[in-house]
Amino acid sequence: MVSRVIPVDPFDLVIFGATGDLARRKILPGLFRRYCAGQMPEEARIIGAARSEMDDDGFRDLVREAVRKFGGGRDCSDEALEGFLAHVGYEHVDAMGEGGWETLKARLRDGMVRAFYFSVAPSLFGALAERLRGFGLADDDSRVVVEKPFGKDLASARALNSTLAEHFDETQIYRIDHYLGKETVQNLMAVRFGNMLFEPLWNAQFVDHIQITVAETVDVSGRGAYYDKSGAMRDMVQNHLMQLLCLIAMEPPARFEPDSVRDEKLKVIRALDPVDYHHIVRGQYIADEKQPGYRSHVEDPRSTTESFVAMKISISNWRWAGTPFYLRTGKALKSQASEIAVVFKDAPHSIFGPEAGRHANVLVIRLQPNEGMTLGVTIKEPGPGGMRLKDVALDMSFADALGPDAEDIPDAYERLIMDVIRGNQTLFMRGDEVEAAWTWTDPIIEGWQRRGEVPKEYDAGSSGPDDALMLMHRDGRKWRDIKA
Ligand SMILES: NC(=O)c1ccc[n+]([C@@H]2O[C@H](COP(=O)([O-])OP(=O)(O)OC[C@H]3O[C@@H](n4cnc5c(N)ncnc54)[C@H](OP(=O)(O)O)[C@@H]3O)[C@@H](O)[C@H]2O)c1
């Protein structure tokens, strides 16, 4: 059995923005699945809040529809859904207004964990925090959960941090990066710090380079206006890829505890060198005969926002000096695939002679699809004909290794919301971490703007611009194929 479900303490969870896309697609179905798994105690209450006027039953209809559309779990029945809905209510509240707060407060009970999920635009975080304190809904034990994007640059992230800090202590603030809630991402820590095998080799002496790829097939249609103001650097690199980089590069924390882990991640971000602009490739997908390109999707024929980024990064510390990290992410690529590949150095001397070729071990951690790990090892090609070497994969997929239990693994949002109720901040970003990430990202974006840089074109359905291939070819290295 992989998941030993331990019920969390009784809670009141208020979701601001409960009628929105994120709540309907992720938060509410996720909570339902935790209910089905037996993790939600009988006393738990979920209160939706938004400006739309509706009563409890109206909101229950919305939740019922959301769960049916976006998925219950393996053990979720119609009866379970009705049972879950008995825990759900709604209050009509405007984050910017004064009405509804007293009624919402009257719904909250003493002696429960109290959490407030801000699933609304970041421009409302300040108003919400102020009213939660002002109307006495939140106290020093309450928790607030805030969604990405956490700022669009260092200045805005600092402003958000200081607004939240006026009303809440850092120990009460849970900044979500849902990548950290993914089972395989947590597995990165298990692989690194639960095995003796890898740690002695996990450094510049033995690792040639590391590739981190988060490739998406989806384009930006439907969210073009939002995306065009952001771009791949802000939308993916500053948060998700940075978190993966930290987990793969950090020193072993003394304990698996929030500040131990987050201190080590922060040290990695602070050790990042500024990126030479020759070491970054920005891309934008173009139209083909079948589909429109990026600029049509964002309805701006002159947009210079990137839908793809590839970069070479170096970390100035004892462990990693001399080992480059190559990151790439993009939309409208040929496959949906997220993985981290640790490419080890060749053996220092081949006893088999030059005809045996060069062989390097590669550890690939697949985040999606088909989560699992592959370790490339070199063996002898069977049969006569001398010592011919061949690389083969020791391949482990979670689904095969864990059997049907793998289906019960909570998705990222489920896991993270339960962590909020448990009061465990390990998988949430601390304010200084977010600011450090922007401190590193801002000069890159400013450089593009200063130089008036236009992204390189790439075909939708490809691996990205040719220049991204060159980024590695120049170093005598090669990207792994993006394949699902
Ligand atoms: N959607 C995603 O996949 C996703 C992924 C990652 C992060 N996020 C982040 O999550 C947050 C929510 O995104 P979303 O996609 O769910 O947005 P959305 O679909 O536009 O929903 C916004 C929600 O906020 C409510 N709202 C708006 N103004 C309000 C006000 N003055 N007072 C109270 N409630 C108000 C809306 O309901 P009413 O209009 O009824 O008030 C609605 O429930 C954003 O910060 C977004 O960046 C979203």
Side-chain angles (χ1 to χ4, degrees), residues 17-23 25 50-52 93-96 119-122 124 147-149 413:
T19 56
D21 176 67
L22 182 69
R25 274 192 313 111
R51 289 170 308 178
S52 306
V93 170
D94 183 344
M96 307 295 282
S119 180
V120 293
L124 297 177
E147 264 298 337
K148 83 161 215 185
Y413 276 93

Side-chain angles (χ1 to χ4, degrees), residues 243-481:
Q243 290 297 322
L244 297 179
L245 174 75
C246 286
L247 295 177
I248 212 81
M250 71 184 186
E251 294 301 314
R255 288 181 190 80
F256 190 56
E257 283 176 357
D259 281 336
S260 298
V261 172
R262 299 187 299 179
D263 286 346
E264 295 306 337
K265 281 162 50 194
L266 181 62
K267 285 185 208 161
V268 174
I269 304 176
R270 290 191 173 151
L272 291 175
D273 284 342
V275 187
D276 182 327
Y277 76 93
H278 294 300
H279 291 162
I280 309 187
V281 178
R282 300 168 79 210
Q284 194 183 71
Y285 63 86
I286 53 171
D288 60 23
E289 57 286 351
K290 282 187 268 152
Q291 55 193 339
Y294 178 88
R295 290 178 173 181
S296 305
H297 284 147
V298 302
E299 295 178 19
D300 177 356
R302 281 199 288 274
S303 169
T304 56
T305 304
E306 76 285 354
S307 57
F308 175 98
V309 179
M311 54 171 60
K312 177 181 173 183
I313 288 177
S314 42
I315 302 177
S316 277
N317 64 18
W318 274 44
R319 187 186 284 267
W320 293 118
T323 293
F325 287 68
Y326 298 89
L327 272 50
R328 70 180 158 168
T329 183
K331 303 274 180 205
L333 296 176
K334 65 190 249 195
S335 296
Q336 175 92 5
S338 301
E339 65 166 42
I340 297 165
V342 181
V343 182
F344 290 91
K345 291 187 172 169
D346 291 352
H349 162 70
S350 173
I351 63 168
F352 306 111
E355 62 281 4
R358 299 180 60 182
H359 299 271
N361 300 115
V362 183
L363 175 70
V364 179
I365 300 162
R366 291 189 301 274
L367 308 180
Q368 66 175 24
N370 186 21
E371 290 119 313
M373 279 170 40
T374 304
L375 178 62
V377 292
T378 303
I379 60 166
K380 176 187 173 301
E381 251 188 52
M387 186 59 94
R388 285 170 290 118
L389 301 185
K390 184 180 166 67
D391 292 332
V392 292
L394 295 176
D395 201 353
M396 187 275 286
S397 90
F398 275 7
D400 291 345
L402 304 175
D405 286 341
E407 290 171 26
D408 282 342
I409 292 174
D411 94 347
Y413 276 93
E414 291 173 53
R415 159 85 203 223
L416 293 174
I417 297 169
M418 290 299 108
D419 278 358
V420 173
I421 307 299
R422 287 191 202 97
N424 185 343
Q425 291 184 303
T426 310
L427 301 176
F428 296 84
M429 293 179 297
R430 211 168 51 192
D432 52 1
E433 240 185 286
V434 178
E435 290 186 16
W438 281 121
T439 302
W440 177 80
T441 313
D442 272 6
I444 299 173
I445 297 173
E446 282 158 16
W448 293 337
Q449 286 161 354
R450 205 174 44 248
R451 294 189 297 276
E453 228 180 83
V454 177
K456 308 285 180 199
E457 295 180 347
Y458 65 95
D459 294 327
S462 71
S463 302
D466 290 344
D467 289 44
L469 304 179
M470 286 311 297
L471 183 71
M472 288 198 84
H473 281 189
R474 278 202 304 263
D475 294 346
R477 300 184 174 106
K478 204 167 153 242
W479 288 108
R480 288 169 48 80
D481 190 19

Side-chain angles (χ1 to χ4, degrees), residues 135-343:
F135 285 95
L137 282 79
D139 59 23
D140 290 348
D141 293 325
S142 307
R143 291 148 206 183
V144 291
V145 185
V146 296
E147 264 298 337
K148 83 161 215 185
F150 201 85
K152 61 178 178 52
D153 53 20
L154 178 61
S156 53
R158 272 197 181 137
L160 272 179
N161 273 339
S162 63
T163 306
L164 290 172
E166 279 172 35
H167 306 284
F168 297 99
D169 186 71
E170 182 63 34
T171 55
Q172 298 179 272
I173 303 169
Y174 292 72
R175 293 175 195 78
I176 287 221
D177 181 331
H178 72 271
Y179 257 60
L180 287 176
K182 286 178 186 283
E183 193 70 15
T184 342
V185 173
Q186 292 163 59
N187 225 347
L188 279 177
M189 284 185 274
V191 168
R192 284 199 57 198
F193 306 128
N195 294 287
M196 192 55 203
L197 184 64
F198 299 115
E199 181 53 25
L201 306 177
W202 212 261
N203 56 52
Q205 194 186 345
F206 296 102
V207 176
D208 177 72
H209 73 278
I210 292 179
Q211 300 184 20
I212 302 180
T213 299
V214 177
E216 298 179 281
T217 48
V218 288
D219 54 38
V220 303
S221 49
R223 58 188 290 251
Y226 163 79
Y227 190 90
D228 201 42
K229 288 199 208 83
S230 167
M233 192 71 186
R234 290 190 172 101
D235 192 49
M236 296 296 291
V237 177
Q238 186 273 345
N239 37 64
H240 304 323
L241 275 84
M242 187 65 60
Q243 290 297 322
L244 297 179
L245 174 75
C246 286
L247 295 177
I248 212 81
M250 71 184 186
E251 294 301 314
R255 288 181 190 80
F256 190 56
E257 283 176 357
D259 281 336
S260 298
V261 172
R262 299 187 299 179
D263 286 346
E264 295 306 337
K265 281 162 50 194
L266 181 62
K267 285 185 208 161
V268 174
I269 304 176
R270 290 191 173 151
L272 291 175
D273 284 342
V275 187
D276 182 327
Y277 76 93
H278 294 300
H279 291 162
I280 309 187
V281 178
R282 300 168 79 210
Q284 194 183 71
Y285 63 86
I286 53 171
D288 60 23
E289 57 286 351
K290 282 187 268 152
Q291 55 193 339
Y294 178 88
R295 290 178 173 181
S296 305
H297 284 147
V298 302
E299 295 178 19
D300 177 356
R302 281 199 288 274
S303 169
T304 56
T305 304
E306 76 285 354
S307 57
F308 175 98
V309 179
M311 54 171 60
K312 177 181 173 183
I313 288 177
S314 42
I315 302 177
S316 277
N317 64 18
W318 274 44
R319 187 186 284 267
W320 293 118
T323 293
F325 287 68
Y326 298 89
L327 272 50
R328 70 180 158 168
T329 183
K331 303 274 180 205
L333 296 176
K334 65 190 249 195
S335 296
Q336 175 92 5
S338 301
E339 65 166 42
I340 297 165
V342 181
V343 182

Side-chain angles (χ1 to χ4, degrees), residues 46-73:
I46 297 154
I47 304 155
R51 289 170 308 178
S52 306
E53 294 203 27
M54 66 177 99
D55 58 13
D56 287 345
D57 282 338
F59 184 60
R60 286 181 191 129
D61 289 342
L62 180 149
V63 178
R64 193 181 283 112
E65 199 184 309
V67 166
R68 291 205 171 124
K69 185 162 178 197
F70 298 110

